[in-house]
Amino acid sequence: MLSYSLYLNPIERLWKVMNEQARNNKYFAIAKAFRDQINYFFEVILPDISGSLDGRINDNFQVLNSAS
């Protein structure tokens, strides 16, 4: 059985980028402001930075040999 690792899931990597770009260290007094910022990320910021995400959001994982 394989365990789940959020660091290996591409959607979790996208979530991290969105968090860094849209809401990192920001306070949103109302939910609408938060939703608007998330929408802004997907509509404006993501298309602008998409070319630079190949190294962060991919399926190229390093396979490590067992230590034992």
Side-chain angles (χ1 to χ4, degrees):
M1 178 175 160
L2 295 174
S3 61
Y4 177 79
S5 174
L6 63 95
Y7 300 107
L8 298 179
N9 190 339
I11 195 66
E12 299 287 356
R13 293 175 182 201
L14 178 59
W15 167 255
K16 182 177 180 182
V17 172
M18 192 233 16
N19 184 43
E20 292 168 355
Q21 298 289 323
R23 61 160 294 267
N24 202 22
N25 296 321
K26 294 180 184 173
Y27 171 75
F28 298 95
I30 58 174
K32 183 181 182 326
F34 176 70
R35 284 191 308 270
D36 289 346
Q37 186 64 27
I38 299 305
N39 288 334
Y40 181 77
F41 170 77
F42 283 106
E43 294 170 3
V44 178
I45 297 174
L46 185 60
D48 189 45
I49 66 170
S50 63
S52 66
L53 297 178
D54 288 345
R56 294 186 70 180
I57 302 174
N58 58 49
D59 290 332
N60 298 328
F61 304 118
Q62 179 180 6
V63 177
L64 303 175
N65 294 326
S66 176
S68 56

